[in-house]
């Protein structure tokens, strides 16, 4: 059990999270409470939420389809329309019950509906517990660009109960491990060694807590993404390109799956730029290559480079990456040429994944 203090709100992790959520709802007089979920969190997570917080039994429910494709303007339109039809006013509370898709989308919708209503995150996937639910980045994909439209908006609180993980499919546990590995690789060498030790019995609550401590430490130092916070994007320039390509072709690659591949490619770029030694690059690659998913075994430079040219970190048409300069340390705004990216893809494609 742990409580972290983030940007003006608490993140409560462990068995006490849902009782604390119940107390939070009871002591605030919201005009109404709306729960946003997808079909899976409606089926698997809503019952536990309502049992632990009986005051939520009468809440309005908005259900969206699960998956990245729901981070769209069309679904926002549906959410805003439903809120308006239900006469949801500015004193309402939105509860985002789900993975990173629900918290990114719900946080965004709440942050602009009637110029902003309060929201809280109740993450139910490993990825959202360990990363997406904290930090206040919200957003949707648009015009084939990942997270093109969004806001910085802080939740009132985040309630993390690892009990929700019991129904999370194994593929999504693996998916969440990508962001946990990333957090270790950019900020905590010892944590990386633990993750890389092959011990399959790591306690999910401990992993989530350490990952959130690391993320929160970074976010508190740089809330608006000016410098340090950009290091959280290690692996993501490549990952976002892969994700968008997959979304367009119906490939179904998950965010974390794309991040595993992205971290391998970007570690090679870091080695080309003499930030990582060959030994460190090899350690990262051999730790991560067993995690690569079947649909990302070969990468096409020609298909992916156009997505990367639109990355939000780019400036003056220069591609800027966040790259590790050691295991457990990361730099941001490193200019990378298309040739360096191509060489890293060539390396990746020879790994025989
Ligand atoms: N805002 C941020 O800081 C941040 C950080 C990292 C990732 N993200 C975003 O997060 C998204 C990915 O998040 P995700 O992997 O959680 O995806 P997701 O929200 O699609 O959830 C993954 C899947 O698991 C299901 N699910 C969730 N909890 C469940 C449970 N307890 N039992 C059974 N099924 C459950 C969902 O229905 C979905 O099918 C991406 O859009 C990514 O861009 C945001």
């Amino acid at each position: 059990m742990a409580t972290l203090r983030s940007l003006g709100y608490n993140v409560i992790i462990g068995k006490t999270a849902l009782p604390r959520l119940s107390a939070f709802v009871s002591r605030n007089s919201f005009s109404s409470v709306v729960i946003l979920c997808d079909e899976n969190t409606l089926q698997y997570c809503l019952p536990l939420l309502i049992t632990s917080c009986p005051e939520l039994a009468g809440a309005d429910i908005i259900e969206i389809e699960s998956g990245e494709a729901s981070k769209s303007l069309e679904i926002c339109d549906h959410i805003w329309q439903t809120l308006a039809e239900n006469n949801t006013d500015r004193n309402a509370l939105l509860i985002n019950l789900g993975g990173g898709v629900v918290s990114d989308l719900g946080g965004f919708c709440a942050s602009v509906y009637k110029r902003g209503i309060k929201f809280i995150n109740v993450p139910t996937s490993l990825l959202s517990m360990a990363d997406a639910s904290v930090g206040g980045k919200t957003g949707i994909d648009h015009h084939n660009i990942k997270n093109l439209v969004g806001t910085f908006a802080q939740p009132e609180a985040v309630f993390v109960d690892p009990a929700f993980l019991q129904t999370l499919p194994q593929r999504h546990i693996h998916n969440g491990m990508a962001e946990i590995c990333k957090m270790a690789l950019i900020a905590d060498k010892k944590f990386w060694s633990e993750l890389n030790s092959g011990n399959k019995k790591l306690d999910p609550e401990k992993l989530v807590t350490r990952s959130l401590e690391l993320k929160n430490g970074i976010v508190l130092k740089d809330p608006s993404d000016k410098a340090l916070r950009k290091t959280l994007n290690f692996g993501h320039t490549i990952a976002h390109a892969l994700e968008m390509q997959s979304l367009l072709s119906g490939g179904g690659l998950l965010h974390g799956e794309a991040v595993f591949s992205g971290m391998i490619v970007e570690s090679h770029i870091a080695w080309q730029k003499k930030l990582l030694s060959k030994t460190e690059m090899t350690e990262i690659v051999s730790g991560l290559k067993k995690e690569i998913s079947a649909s990302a075994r070969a990468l096409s430079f020609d298909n992916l480079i156009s997505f990367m040219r639109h990355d939000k970190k780019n400036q003056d048409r220069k591609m800027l990456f966040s790259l590790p300069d050691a295991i457990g340390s990361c730099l941001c705004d490193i200019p990378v040429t298309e040739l360096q990216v191509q060489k890293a893809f060539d390396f990746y494609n020879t790994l025989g994944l």
Side-chain angles (χ1 to χ4, degrees):
M1 282 180 297
T3 300
L4 308 179
R5 186 70 187 156
S6 192
L7 296 164
Y9 61 92
N10 287 331
V11 181
I12 296 131
I13 309 162
K15 272 207 276 294
T16 56
L18 294 184
R20 295 274 297 272
L21 164 54
S22 178
F24 170 84
V25 174
S26 300
R27 81 169 171 267
N28 286 284
S29 42
F30 297 111
S31 53
S32 64
V33 179
V34 183
I35 302 174
L36 180 68
C37 47
D38 64 30
E39 76 279 8
N40 297 317
T41 62
L42 180 84
Q43 180 177 357
Y44 299 113
C45 306
L46 191 61
L48 173 60
L49 181 70
I50 305 278
T51 310
S52 311
C53 311
E55 47 287 291
L56 295 178
D60 292 332
I61 310 286
I62 303 180
E63 181 191 343
I64 56 153
E65 228 175 88
S66 64
E68 185 70 24
S70 281
K71 275 177 58 173
S72 69
L73 210 46
E74 194 190 336
I75 302 296
C76 289
D77 187 51
H78 165 69
I79 293 171
W80 290 320
Q81 194 181 348
T82 311
L83 292 173
E85 280 169 5
N86 292 348
N87 294 317
T88 309
D89 66 25
R90 291 180 75 178
N91 295 318
L93 174 74
L94 180 73
I95 299 181
N96 296 317
L97 178 69
V101 166
V102 170
S103 53
D104 277 14
L105 173 73
F108 175 60
C109 286
S111 71
V112 292
Y113 176 76
K114 296 196 173 173
R115 300 211 170 81
I117 60 170
K118 292 180 169 160
F119 68 97
I120 61 175
N121 291 332
V122 183
T124 61
S125 71
L126 182 60
L127 187 142
S128 59
M129 288 185 193
D131 185 352
S133 61
V134 170
K137 277 193 181 177
T138 79
I140 56 168
D141 308 330
H142 196 53
H143 290 308
N144 304 328
I145 303 174
K146 188 78 187 162
N147 301 328
L148 181 70
V149 180
T151 54
F152 282 103
Q154 306 306 330
E156 296 302 300
V158 179
F159 299 94
V160 186
D161 187 343
F164 285 119
L165 295 176
Q166 277 160 20
T167 55
L168 189 71
Q170 191 50 44
R171 184 176 176 201
H172 288 285
I173 297 280
H174 174 253
N175 184 50
M177 286 306 296
E179 295 287 16
I180 296 176
C181 286
K182 176 208 72 185
M183 225 69 84
L185 283 169
I186 65 169
D188 187 344
K189 186 174 181 176
K190 191 164 155 260
F191 187 33
W192 163 252
S193 303
E194 239 176 274
L195 295 171
N196 201 25
S197 68
N199 177 4
K200 298 267 176 226
K201 294 220 168 89
L202 298 169
D203 173 11
E205 185 169 326
K206 283 197 186 137
L207 295 184
V208 166
T209 304
R210 185 66 195 134
S211 181
L212 285 183
E213 280 168 354
L214 292 169
K215 176 167 185 181
N216 197 42
I218 291 172
V219 166
L220 286 175
K221 284 189 195 134
D222 178 21
S224 51
D225 224 2
K226 296 277 186 289
L228 181 68
R229 186 168 178 171
K230 292 185 196 168
T231 60
L232 293 167
N233 280 308
F234 167 50
H236 283 60
T237 308
I238 303 294
H240 284 163
L242 258 170
E243 246 186 306
M244 290 322 291
Q245 186 208 23
S246 169
L247 201 62
L248 288 177
S249 61
L253 190 72
L254 301 175
H255 179 74
E257 293 171 342
V259 171
F260 274 129
S261 296
M263 289 191 289
I264 292 187
V265 175
E266 295 186 16
S267 295
H268 189 273
I269 296 173
W271 170 71
Q272 289 181 62
K273 299 211 62 108
K274 302 194 180 353
L275 296 171
L276 281 183
S277 68
K278 185 110 193 203
T279 316
E280 286 170 314
M281 191 266 284
T282 309
E283 180 180 328
I284 298 174
V285 172
S286 56
L288 299 182
K289 75 179 198 183
K290 51 187 181 295
E291 311 297 343
I292 296 309
S293 64
S295 52
R297 283 196 183 129
L299 304 182
S300 159
F301 173 80
D302 292 341
N303 289 344
L304 292 169
I305 193 68
S306 60
F307 292 105
M308 286 157 52
R309 289 183 186 129
H310 290 291
D311 192 90
K312 285 187 297 304
K313 296 185 293 307
N314 296 349
Q315 272 170 22
D316 304 330
R317 295 179 185 268
K318 257 197 222 137
M319 287 199 297
L320 299 178
F321 279 56
S322 298
L323 298 173
D325 58 339
I327 292 178
S329 170
C330 192
L331 302 174
C332 64
D333 294 336
I334 308 289
V336 169
T337 65
E338 294 195 4
L339 184 63
Q340 286 166 330
V341 175
Q342 187 157 22
K343 280 187 183 162
F345 278 8
D346 291 344
F347 163 78
Y348 182 96
N349 289 336
T350 56
L351 286 173
L353 298 167

